[in-house]
């Protein structure tokens, strides 16, 4: 979908921000290390400025897929991007939008493992813009891509679970 035809208000980002995000994820494909599949994937994250930031430049972190001779060890572009942002100090809620780009005609959506990985750091209404080889895209929210998801908010504090188990243990008062 061309940017002009999309109502971005619902996603809380501007056309300018989306254009930058699209450019970055398309560019990020160049960084892919994919000698085994030749399937290049680029990812980009539009981030809220960190509290310590003094720059007015857009905060965008990129990732690309990094494969391995031991095939299952390879990592997807989305997880490389999120891991990079996390070690730079970004936290849950800092990711405003995600862009993903491949070299195919269709709109490649994040794999199941990446959806779960993204879910840890994204709000359910965060948009994920999935680009094809020509830079056209489809957009879905995190919640649409991973309905009924399991996230950090579901986990009670471990002490609470331990205490509740201990109180139900045979022989407990
Ligand atoms: N890949 C990604 O980087 N992201 C996805 O969401 C789907 C798959 C990569 C993994 C592998 O390097 C290549 O694409 C082919 O599966």
């Amino acid at each position: 979908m061309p940017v002009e035809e999309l109502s971005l208000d619902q996603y809380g980002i501007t056309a300018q921000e989306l254009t930058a995000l699209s450019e970055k994820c398309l560019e990020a494909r160049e960084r892919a290390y994919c000698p085994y599949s030749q399937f290049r994937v680029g990812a980009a994250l539009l981030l809220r400025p960190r509290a310590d930031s003094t720059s007015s430049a857009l905060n965008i972190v990129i990732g690309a897929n990094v494969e391995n001779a031991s095939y299952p060890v390879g990592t997807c572009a989305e997880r490389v991007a999120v891991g990079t942002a996390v070690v730079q100090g970004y936290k849950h809620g800092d990711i405003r939008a995600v862009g993903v780009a491949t070299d195919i005609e269709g709109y490649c959506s994040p794999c199941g493992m990446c959806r779960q990985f993204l879910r840890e750091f994204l709000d359910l209404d965060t948009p994920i813009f999935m680009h094809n080889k020509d830079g056209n895209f489809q957009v879905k929210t995190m919640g649409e891509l991973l309905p009924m998801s399991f996230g950090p908010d579901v986990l009670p504090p471990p002490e609470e679970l331990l205490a509740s188990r201990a109180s139900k243990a045979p022989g407990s008062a």
Side-chain angles (χ1 to χ4, degrees):
M1 180 185 282
V3 176
E4 315 80 61
E5 287 175 22
L6 182 75
S7 163
L8 287 176
D9 288 355
Q10 61 181 308
Y11 300 116
I13 66 170
T14 66
Q16 201 186 3
E17 287 171 330
L18 177 54
T19 301
L21 184 71
S22 296
E23 279 170 13
K24 289 286 183 192
C25 70
L26 290 157
E27 262 173 49
R29 288 178 308 188
E30 313 283 332
R31 308 289 176 91
Y33 172 75
C34 54
Y36 307 107
S37 71
Q38 294 303 334
F39 190 78
R40 302 186 310 169
V41 186
L45 310 175
L46 177 67
L47 297 149
R48 289 182 213 294
R50 280 186 316 218
D52 60 353
S53 166
T54 50
S55 157
S56 60
L58 284 183
N59 291 263
I60 295 182
V61 162
I62 63 160
N65 51 331
V66 182
E67 297 186 344
N68 192 280
S70 176
Y71 290 6
V73 176
T75 306
C76 293
E78 297 89 328
R79 279 178 284 141
V80 170
V82 170
T84 302
V86 169
V87 296
Q88 287 186 10
Y90 293 99
K91 308 251 182 293
H92 184 117
D94 285 343
I95 301 174
R96 297 172 55 207
V98 178
V100 183
T102 66
D103 291 316
I104 59 173
E105 189 75 47
Y107 302 97
C108 178
S109 65
C111 77
M113 192 186 275
C114 286
R115 291 178 198 207
Q116 182 63 30
F117 201 87
L118 289 163
R119 167 66 175 87
E120 184 77 16
F121 298 98
L122 265 56
D123 292 328
L124 293 177
D125 60 359
T126 305
I128 299 170
F129 295 88
M130 298 163 279
H131 298 71
N132 71 359
K133 66 177 172 50
D134 302 317
N136 295 322
F137 61 79
Q138 270 186 358
V139 56
K140 297 278 178 206
T141 64
M142 180 74 252
E144 285 171 332
L145 286 185
L146 196 65
M148 293 184 69
S149 60
F150 181 81
D153 47 304
V154 179
L155 286 174
E159 308 76 35
E160 203 177 281
L161 291 172
L162 267 180
S164 130
R165 257 196 337 251
S167 70
K168 286 187 199 120
S172 66

